[in-house]
Amino acid sequence: MRRIALFIVIGTLATTFATAQVNFTASNLPIIIIQTNGQQIPDEPKITAFMGVIDNGPGQINHPADAFTGYEGNIGIELRGSSSQFYEKKPYTIELRDAAGEDLAVPLLGMPAESDWVLIAPLNDKTLMRDVLAHHLARQALAWSPRTRYCEVVLNNTYIGVYTLVESIKRDENRVNIKKLKPEDTTGDKLTGGYMLRIDKYGPSPGTVGGDWKLTHNAAPGSSQETWIQYFTPKADEIVAEQAAYIQNHFKEFDDMMAGPNFAAEYPNWIDVDSWINYLLVEEVSKNTDGYRLSAYFYKDRDSHGGRITMGPVWDFNIAFGIGDYCQGQDWTGWAKDFNAICGGDAWIIHFWWDRLWSDPAFRQRMGDRWKELRADTWSNSQMLGTIDSISTLLGQAQVRNFQRWPVLGQYVWPNSFVGSTYGQEVYFLKNWLTKRLEWLDNNIASVSSNTLIPSQQSPFTLYPNPVRNYLLIRTNYPYTVNQNFDIRIFDLAGRLVFVRENLIGKGVLSFDLGAERLADGLYTYKISQYNKAWEGKLMIKR
């Protein structure tokens, strides 16, 4: 099919951005044409529309009037996302359909065949690349992360900018490769997998079969926030009662184990440790403000295929890599996993599993080893910065058109921590932030994973952040139901007592002024005493 079209003219924007015209005649990126025949695209349900994909191949130029070479046919389309829907540049979920309206699995832009796809719409991220960069890094660390392809999109004869076509998170042999759980699989080994689940904001029908369910323990000891798990595969309206009962009980037992005193000896039997470490490193290198607590996917295959709880895939990095101006997201220092200590009043905080794992020296040592392995190869500075440069070059002309359509350069778009007046400035900020982030992680992962810097494995307390500046936090790792009484003493390396607090009473997280401004930078030892027991460790103080 061919259309006579030499350029697309942008209509009036009824929002904060000025109107603009884009002379769109050619692109080095694939072009996606969508026609809804006058229908508005709703949040849900999907409406039936037409989509054509123009992709003349590597190194070739694509034109809006070219023949469709990548796809031509019906789709279902709806808005997607949560906060991202409030931006004027809308993201979409797309379902390829045959003439009868049934799902149609088709390979798009070189990615394996599927019926469900996502069009991500970067707007607050003015580099247009944070999600793409995160998935690129994740594919080098995890078993799978969604593939991505840049494209330019025309909706109802209106150019709407640079988008990223992304694979949906799905269970199949080319994506999350676990066994398919059928409705009749209600006994034996078949009942044990595969399940895909997600921690996110809970949905409209919590606490019922086919709805979300709440974990036994609150998100953190002493907190009031609850953690809800959502069914993903099978979907909430497809899972049967026996399967819901099995997986809920499995996670209740896991939650209880992680809250118990012997978790360090038991958790390797429950989880795929390497996947949890790789997931953590992706969230930490990007310092994802939403990491661990929203769009947090994990899965469990059948027991005969391993059966351990596996973290991933990762998703949603539009508030990562220094872009966020809240909860210290802009700082290249600090741990993303410490979100609770920074923004503990948020409605959705990180479940205590991650703090428990972090308190285990063996987990941190394994994390440190994996970090060194990645940094020596695919996660080196040259590789990461080279990827950013390659993307910037690829988008050289398309980004100009995108910012004509969406003139946000030089303007604050929530939650920008930096506002550059040019695309080049935005890319430079990302590269500079990432370089500093990598240096901080090199130093701090080395310090917390070194055998000389880890507390006793049996310690029921975690001290953080480490290094500490002014305020030191102590987390009671067990889900105590009553206040605990303990003392803490800090010594310099000559053994001189430099800080003491006695009769500390509390549960959950305690915070107090360490007075670090009066202490020199360097390494110190600490001792926490409780009743007739004591635990020792190392603490870095750095202003």
Side-chain angles (χ1 to χ4, degrees):
M1 177 178 181
R2 296 182 63 86
R3 291 148 319 286
I4 299 174
L6 295 181
F7 62 90
I8 309 297
V9 178
I10 300 306
T12 300
L13 294 176
T15 51
T16 57
F17 302 126
T19 59
Q21 290 186 343
V22 178
N23 186 22
F24 183 44
T25 60
S27 178
N28 63 313
L29 303 179
I31 300 171
I32 292 180
I33 308 288
I34 298 172
Q35 283 284 352
T36 68
N37 299 314
Q39 302 173 88
Q40 293 292 318
I41 301 175
D43 185 8
E44 59 179 324
K46 296 181 179 73
I47 61 168
T48 299
F50 170 86
M51 185 176 82
V53 177
I54 301 165
D55 181 20
N56 293 324
Q60 301 301 308
I61 298 299
N62 303 296
H63 307 85
D66 287 346
F68 295 127
T69 52
Y71 179 79
E72 180 179 4
N74 292 334
I75 61 170
I77 185 170
E78 65 186 0
L79 298 176
R80 68 164 288 108
S82 180
S83 60
S84 56
Q85 283 194 24
F86 294 99
Y87 295 126
E88 288 130 307
K89 186 181 181 185
K90 306 296 185 184
Y92 301 105
T93 296
I94 290 173
E95 177 184 82
L96 307 183
R97 293 174 175 175
D98 62 19
E102 299 298 321
D103 289 5
L104 179 65
V106 174
L108 290 184
L109 302 183
M111 295 179 280
E114 236 307 321
S115 60
D116 295 323
W117 301 85
V118 175
L119 278 172
I120 290 178
L123 186 72
N124 68 311
D125 173 16
K126 298 163 196 171
T127 68
L128 311 175
M129 68 176 73
R130 281 175 168 83
D131 273 297
V132 171
L133 176 62
H135 287 303
H136 173 77
L137 297 176
R139 286 194 297 274
Q140 297 166 337
L142 291 161
W144 176 79
S145 193
R147 302 167 184 91
T148 63
R149 283 291 305 274
Y150 282 108
C151 56
E152 293 188 81
V153 178
V154 176
L155 173 63
N156 294 328
N157 299 318
T158 297
Y159 175 84
I160 60 171
V162 173
Y163 275 70
T164 307
L165 184 70
V166 185
E167 291 180 291
S168 290
I169 294 177
K170 298 295 287 288
R171 184 219 61 80
D172 68 40
E173 63 181 7
N174 294 310
R175 295 169 177 86
V176 179
N177 190 11
I178 59 175
K179 287 291 185 179
K180 182 176 182 179
L181 188 65
K182 302 176 183 178
E184 61 268 26
D185 294 336
T186 58
T187 60
D189 181 57
K190 290 184 177 180
L191 176 62
T192 65
Y195 298 87
M196 291 182 65
L197 305 160
R198 175 176 66 190
I199 291 176
D200 211 328
K201 302 172 184 178
Y202 55 78
S205 304
T208 62
V209 173
D212 308 329
W213 86 90
K214 182 178 68 173
L215 289 173
T216 305
H217 299 279
N218 282 0
S223 74
S224 61
Q225 292 96 324
E226 299 167 335
T227 299
W228 292 77
I229 292 185
Q230 299 177 357
Y231 298 109
F232 192 74
T233 299
K235 296 178 181 178
D237 58 356
E238 295 174 345
I239 196 165
V240 300
E242 293 87 348
Q243 295 164 354
Y246 168 81
I247 198 63
Q248 288 188 31
N249 183 66
H250 187 80
F251 272 87
K252 180 185 183 304
E253 293 179 354
F254 174 64
D255 206 34
D256 288 341
M257 181 277 299
M258 290 297 289
N262 298 317
F263 86 97
E266 297 177 15
Y267 77 77
N269 298 321
W270 284 82
I271 70 172
D272 181 314
V273 179
D274 288 338
S275 74
W276 286 65
I277 286 171
N278 289 325
Y279 184 98
L280 178 149
L281 292 176
V282 173
E283 300 294 347
E284 291 300 334
V285 75
S286 63
K287 204 182 182 193
N288 187 6
T289 304
D290 288 342
Y292 308 102
R293 63 193 187 93
L294 299 174
S295 299
Y297 291 84
F298 43 96
Y299 55 92
K300 182 192 179 301
D301 207 347
R302 288 182 187 169
D303 286 349
S304 59
H305 287 72
R308 287 177 169 81
I309 299 168
T310 303
M311 281 304 302
V314 296
W315 189 259
D316 195 1
F317 290 84
N318 68 324
I319 308 179
F321 294 103
I323 199 172
D325 63 358
Y326 65 97
C327 296
Q328 300 182 14
Q330 72 275 22
D331 295 344
W332 58 83
T333 63
W335 302 101
K337 72 174 187 62
D338 286 342
F339 178 89
N340 297 2
I342 299 164
C343 284
D346 194 278
W348 295 278
I349 60 175
I350 299 173
H351 203 61
F352 73 89
W353 299 337
W354 291 100
D355 271 348
R356 291 292 267 161
L357 291 171
W358 190 265
S359 71
D360 177 30
F363 181 87
R364 293 199 308 274
Q365 188 64 50
R366 197 161 167 177
M367 175 198 68
D369 292 342
R370 178 57 170 157
W371 175 255
K372 291 178 183 178
E373 180 181 28
L374 288 168
R375 290 288 283 145
D377 188 12
T378 54
W379 281 21
S380 67
N381 281 43
S382 61
Q383 292 269 27
M384 289 194 191
L385 298 179
T387 296
I388 293 173
D389 288 338
S390 295
I391 295 173
S392 178
T393 299
L394 175 69
L395 298 180
Q397 292 301 314
Q399 60 86 11
V400 174
R401 290 186 289 270
N402 179 82
F403 293 117
Q404 289 174 352
R405 176 62 177 92
W406 306 106
V408 295
L409 290 174
Q411 296 192 38
Y412 174 86
V413 181
W414 183 88
N416 290 163
S417 63
F418 170 79
V419 178
S421 59
T422 67
Y423 180 70
Q425 289 177 5
E426 292 285 348
V427 172
Y428 176 81
F429 171 83
L430 173 60
K431 293 175 66 176
N432 186 55
W433 184 92
L434 182 58
T435 300
K436 293 177 179 177
R437 179 67 177 162
L438 292 169
E439 180 182 8
W440 188 89
L441 288 170
D442 284 340
N443 293 332
N444 286 272
I445 289 178
S447 70
V448 300
S449 63
S450 168
N451 287 327
T452 64
L453 294 173
I454 55 178
S456 166
Q457 184 170 340
Q458 302 303 314
S459 173
F461 304 98
T462 299
L463 274 65
Y464 63 97
N466 191 3
V468 62
R469 286 181 170 84
N470 293 320
Y471 285 90
L472 180 67
L473 293 92
I474 300 180
R475 180 183 299 282
T476 54
N477 290 325
Y478 302 164
Y480 291 121
T481 57
V482 298
N483 286 332
Q484 302 297 300
N485 187 301
F486 56 94
D487 307 329
I488 180 170
R489 291 173 172 80
I490 297 176
F491 306 85
D492 64 21
L493 293 184
R496 294 184 291 262
L497 180 68
V498 297
F499 178 87
V500 61
R501 287 289 297 271
E502 296 179 322
N503 295 316
L504 288 165
I505 299 175
K507 60 181 178 179
V509 178
L510 289 78
S511 173
F512 52 86
D513 187 353
L514 182 63
E517 69 276 5
R518 299 188 297 272
L519 301 175
D521 290 1
L523 191 63
Y524 294 77
T525 63
Y526 70 82
K527 178 181 289 186
I528 297 179
S529 304
Q530 185 182 40
Y531 308 121
N532 61 344
K533 297 181 180 179
W535 297 270
E536 297 180 346
K538 298 293 180 71
L539 185 70
M540 176 71 72
I541 295 178
K542 185 176 179 61
R543 295 201 55 193

